[in-house]
């Protein structure tokens, strides 16, 4: 009799929508980002963004899809972006793609170990540990200025790191 071992895939696709499009990261482990990209159309087109998100998920066939938890009291997403997250979550559920939601608080709790609580500080931690992010690092924002678009990629990666850390 032979024993067979089922290999459980660890690939995730983390998608972070915002008012200017979305950033995504494909990861195989907490420090292995295999692909990342910022999709930023000239104007917010709900149907186009939803279609592009579906394409990303379909191409990468993730074991798990990660999205932000918009029910959290600290979620600062607008109504359109929240609807986009709900729509892609409903589509993933219909396609039976495993789905996890992570709140800003969960991400901050994980990165608190490295004394990082703001998005910029979390991006610094990620850049120090994941070489492919170095070229994307942005300057410290001068509040109340708008966050740079590339920040969506760092938010997607931070969701991925949070997922791996909480599920190890």
């Amino acid at each position: 009799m032979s024993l067979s071992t089922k290999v459980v895939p660890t690939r995730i696709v983390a998608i972070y929508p915002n008012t200017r499009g979305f950033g995504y990261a494909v990861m195989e482990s907490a420090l292995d980002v295999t692909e990342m990209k910022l999709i930023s159309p000239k104007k917010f087109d709900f149907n186009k963004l939803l279609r592009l998100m579906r394409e990303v998920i379909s191409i990468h066939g993730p074991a798990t899809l990660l999205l932000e938890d918009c029910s959290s009291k600290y979620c600062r997403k607008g109504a359109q972006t929240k609807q986009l997250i709900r729509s892609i979550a409903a589509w993933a559920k219909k396609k039976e793609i495993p789905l996890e939601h992570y709140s800003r608080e969960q991400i901050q709790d994980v990165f608190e170990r490295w004394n990082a609580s703001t998005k910029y500080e979390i991006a610094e931690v990620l850049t120090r540990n994941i070489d492919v992010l170095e070229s994307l690092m942005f300057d410290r924002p001068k509040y109340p200025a708008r966050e740079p678009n590339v920040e969506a990629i760092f938010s997607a990666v931070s969701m991925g790191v949070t997922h791996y850390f909480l599920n190890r």
Side-chain angles (χ1 to χ4, degrees), residues 12-25:
I12 60 96
V13 173
I15 296 181
Y16 186 85
N18 60 27
T19 57
R20 297 175 303 272
F22 68 95
Y24 74 88

PDB file of all heavy atoms in Angstrom, residues 12-25:
ATOM      1  N   ILE A  12      -1.452  32.803  -3.097  1.00  0.00           N
ATOM      2  CA  ILE A  12      -2.548  33.733  -2.827  1.00  0.00           C
ATOM      3  C   ILE A  12      -2.502  34.842  -3.868  1.00  0.00           C
ATOM      4  O   ILE A  12      -1.443  35.135  -4.450  1.00  0.00           O
ATOM      5  CB  ILE A  12      -2.484  34.332  -1.400  1.00  0.00           C
ATOM      6  CG1 ILE A  12      -1.183  35.109  -1.136  1.00  0.00           C
ATOM      7  CG2 ILE A  12      -2.636  33.257  -0.349  1.00  0.00           C
ATOM      8  CD1 ILE A  12      -1.299  36.575  -1.340  1.00  0.00           C
ATOM      9  N   VAL A  13      -3.640  35.434  -4.096  1.00  0.00           N
ATOM     10  CA  VAL A  13      -3.726  36.674  -4.865  1.00  0.00           C
ATOM     11  C   VAL A  13      -4.407  37.678  -3.949  1.00  0.00           C
ATOM     12  O   VAL A  13      -5.549  37.463  -3.532  1.00  0.00           O
ATOM     13  CB  VAL A  13      -4.517  36.511  -6.178  1.00  0.00           C
ATOM     14  CG1 VAL A  13      -4.721  37.856  -6.852  1.00  0.00           C
ATOM     15  CG2 VAL A  13      -3.793  35.568  -7.132  1.00  0.00           C
ATOM     16  N   ALA A  14      -3.684  38.725  -3.613  1.00  0.00           N
ATOM     17  CA  ALA A  14      -4.227  39.783  -2.763  1.00  0.00           C
ATOM     18  C   ALA A  14      -4.563  40.965  -3.669  1.00  0.00           C
ATOM     19  O   ALA A  14      -3.711  41.430  -4.429  1.00  0.00           O
ATOM     20  CB  ALA A  14      -3.204  40.192  -1.711  1.00  0.00           C
ATOM     21  N   ILE A  15      -5.798  41.425  -3.589  1.00  0.00           N
ATOM     22  CA  ILE A  15      -6.253  42.553  -4.415  1.00  0.00           C
ATOM     23  C   ILE A  15      -6.672  43.678  -3.486  1.00  0.00           C
ATOM     24  O   ILE A  15      -7.455  43.480  -2.556  1.00  0.00           O
ATOM     25  CB  ILE A  15      -7.412  42.128  -5.332  1.00  0.00           C
ATOM     26  CG1 ILE A  15      -6.930  41.065  -6.323  1.00  0.00           C
ATOM     27  CG2 ILE A  15      -7.980  43.340  -6.060  1.00  0.00           C
ATOM     28  CD1 ILE A  15      -7.987  40.586  -7.292  1.00  0.00           C
ATOM     29  N   TYR A  16      -6.146  44.873  -3.776  1.00  0.00           N
ATOM     30  CA  TYR A  16      -6.436  46.038  -2.944  1.00  0.00           C
ATOM     31  C   TYR A  16      -7.009  47.151  -3.826  1.00  0.00           C
ATOM     32  O   TYR A  16      -6.271  47.913  -4.436  1.00  0.00           O
ATOM     33  CB  TYR A  16      -5.161  46.515  -2.240  1.00  0.00           C
ATOM     34  CG  TYR A  16      -5.423  47.628  -1.256  1.00  0.00           C
ATOM     35  CD1 TYR A  16      -5.828  47.340   0.042  1.00  0.00           C
ATOM     36  CD2 TYR A  16      -5.295  48.954  -1.626  1.00  0.00           C
ATOM     37  CE1 TYR A  16      -6.073  48.360   0.945  1.00  0.00           C
ATOM     38  CE2 TYR A  16      -5.544  49.977  -0.730  1.00  0.00           C
ATOM     39  CZ  TYR A  16      -5.932  49.675   0.556  1.00  0.00           C
ATOM     40  OH  TYR A  16      -6.181  50.672   1.447  1.00  0.00           O
ATOM     41  N   PRO A  17      -8.340  47.236  -3.926  1.00  0.00           N
ATOM     42  CA  PRO A  17      -8.948  48.306  -4.721  1.00  0.00           C
ATOM     43  C   PRO A  17      -8.936  49.639  -3.978  1.00  0.00           C
ATOM     44  O   PRO A  17      -8.989  49.669  -2.745  1.00  0.00           O
ATOM     45  CB  PRO A  17     -10.388  47.847  -4.936  1.00  0.00           C
ATOM     46  CG  PRO A  17     -10.517  46.523  -4.291  1.00  0.00           C
ATOM     47  CD  PRO A  17      -9.319  46.295  -3.440  1.00  0.00           C
ATOM     48  N   ASN A  18      -8.869  50.703  -4.742  1.00  0.00           N
ATOM     49  CA  ASN A  18      -9.028  52.043  -4.183  1.00  0.00           C
ATOM     50  C   ASN A  18      -9.761  52.905  -5.217  1.00  0.00           C
ATOM     51  O   ASN A  18     -10.214  52.391  -6.239  1.00  0.00           O
ATOM     52  CB  ASN A  18      -7.677  52.638  -3.759  1.00  0.00           C
ATOM     53  CG  ASN A  18      -6.688  52.757  -4.895  1.00  0.00           C
ATOM     54  OD1 ASN A  18      -7.056  52.881  -6.066  1.00  0.00           O
ATOM     55  ND2 ASN A  18      -5.413  52.719  -4.564  1.00  0.00           N
ATOM     56  N   THR A  19      -9.863  54.177  -4.972  1.00  0.00           N
ATOM     57  CA  THR A  19     -10.636  55.043  -5.871  1.00  0.00           C
ATOM     58  C   THR A  19      -9.968  55.245  -7.228  1.00  0.00           C
ATOM     59  O   THR A  19     -10.595  55.760  -8.147  1.00  0.00           O
ATOM     60  CB  THR A  19     -10.858  56.433  -5.243  1.00  0.00           C
ATOM     61  OG1 THR A  19      -9.582  57.006  -4.938  1.00  0.00           O
ATOM     62  CG2 THR A  19     -11.704  56.333  -3.995  1.00  0.00           C
ATOM     63  N   ARG A  20      -8.723  54.837  -7.346  1.00  0.00           N
ATOM     64  CA  ARG A  20      -8.000  55.051  -8.607  1.00  0.00           C
ATOM     65  C   ARG A  20      -7.679  53.751  -9.332  1.00  0.00           C
ATOM     66  O   ARG A  20      -6.857  53.737 -10.232  1.00  0.00           O
ATOM     67  CB  ARG A  20      -6.709  55.825  -8.312  1.00  0.00           C
ATOM     68  CG  ARG A  20      -6.994  57.212  -7.733  1.00  0.00           C
ATOM     69  CD  ARG A  20      -5.740  57.949  -7.328  1.00  0.00           C
ATOM     70  NE  ARG A  20      -4.906  57.273  -6.367  1.00  0.00           N
ATOM     71  CZ  ARG A  20      -5.032  57.358  -5.055  1.00  0.00           C
ATOM     72  NH1 ARG A  20      -5.995  58.043  -4.523  1.00  0.00           N
ATOM     73  NH2 ARG A  20      -4.193  56.736  -4.259  1.00  0.00           N
ATOM     74  N   GLY A  21      -8.294  52.650  -8.949  1.00  0.00           N
ATOM     75  CA  GLY A  21      -8.024  51.366  -9.590  1.00  0.00           C
ATOM     76  C   GLY A  21      -7.772  50.300  -8.541  1.00  0.00           C
ATOM     77  O   GLY A  21      -8.473  50.246  -7.533  1.00  0.00           O
ATOM     78  N   PHE A  22      -6.743  49.487  -8.772  1.00  0.00           N
ATOM     79  CA  PHE A  22      -6.397  48.476  -7.763  1.00  0.00           C
ATOM     80  C   PHE A  22      -4.959  48.018  -7.952  1.00  0.00           C
ATOM     81  O   PHE A  22      -4.395  48.089  -9.033  1.00  0.00           O
ATOM     82  CB  PHE A  22      -7.355  47.279  -7.793  1.00  0.00           C
ATOM     83  CG  PHE A  22      -7.276  46.409  -9.023  1.00  0.00           C
ATOM     84  CD1 PHE A  22      -6.494  45.261  -9.041  1.00  0.00           C
ATOM     85  CD2 PHE A  22      -8.014  46.724 -10.154  1.00  0.00           C
ATOM     86  CE1 PHE A  22      -6.441  44.446 -10.174  1.00  0.00           C
ATOM     87  CE2 PHE A  22      -7.979  45.912 -11.281  1.00  0.00           C
ATOM     88  CZ  PHE A  22      -7.185  44.778 -11.291  1.00  0.00           C
ATOM     89  N   GLY A  23      -4.395  47.574  -6.851  1.00  0.00           N
ATOM     90  CA  GLY A  23      -3.084  46.941  -6.885  1.00  0.00           C
ATOM     91  C   GLY A  23      -3.279  45.484  -6.519  1.00  0.00           C
ATOM     92  O   GLY A  23      -4.215  45.147  -5.784  1.00  0.00           O
ATOM     93  N   TYR A  24      -2.435  44.637  -7.064  1.00  0.00           N
ATOM     94  CA  TYR A  24      -2.527  43.233  -6.675  1.00  0.00           C
ATOM     95  C   TYR A  24      -1.132  42.642  -6.540  1.00  0.00           C
ATOM     96  O   TYR A  24      -0.169  43.151  -7.098  1.00  0.00           O
ATOM     97  CB  TYR A  24      -3.384  42.418  -7.650  1.00  0.00           C
ATOM     98  CG  TYR A  24      -2.754  42.096  -8.980  1.00  0.00           C
ATOM     99  CD1 TYR A  24      -1.972  40.949  -9.158  1.00  0.00           C
ATOM    100  CD2 TYR A  24      -2.945  42.925 -10.077  1.00  0.00           C
ATOM    101  CE1 TYR A  24      -1.409  40.648 -10.388  1.00  0.00           C
ATOM    102  CE2 TYR A  24      -2.401  42.635 -11.306  1.00  0.00           C
ATOM    103  CZ  TYR A  24      -1.627  41.496 -11.459  1.00  0.00           C
ATOM    104  OH  TYR A  24      -1.066  41.209 -12.678  1.00  0.00           O
ATOM    105  N   ALA A  25      -1.084  41.568  -5.752  1.00  0.00           N
ATOM    106  CA  ALA A  25       0.165  40.836  -5.554  1.00  0.00           C
ATOM    107  C   ALA A  25      -0.147  39.352  -5.570  1.00  0.00           C
ATOM    108  O   ALA A  25      -1.127  38.913  -4.968  1.00  0.00           O
ATOM    109  CB  ALA A  25       0.814  41.221  -4.228  1.00  0.00           C
TER     110      ALA A  25
END
